[in-house]
Amino acid sequence: MAFDSDFEDGNGSVRKQRRQNEDRKRMAYRRAIEEYRESQALHAQVCDFPEIAEARRPGIWMH
């Protein structure tokens, strides 16, 4: 039984495109997780210095 090469190429390109789309989504999700973790780490570092957070409140002047 012979396969039609046009059908085979078309099907392969559909699979390749679908896989590329899934990879893009997966990478975007990973980047979002990394950015969230970085922001949480930065927040934790800032919370170690409450005087900085207090100085940034409205009505308090930094010199």
Side-chain angles (χ1 to χ4, degrees), residues 19-56:
R19 181 171 290 177
Q20 287 175 345
N21 289 339
E22 290 172 354
D23 287 344
R24 283 189 202 110
K25 288 179 186 178
R26 205 173 4 260
M27 290 306 296
Y29 184 73
R30 286 181 183 175
R31 279 192 297 272
I33 291 172
E34 289 173 5
E35 289 175 5
Y36 176 77
R37 287 181 180 166
E38 289 172 0
S39 70
Q40 291 296 311
L42 181 60
H43 180 72
Q45 290 175 351
V46 170
C47 287
D48 288 343
F49 301 99
E51 63 276 3
I52 294 173
E54 288 178 13
R56 292 185 178 225

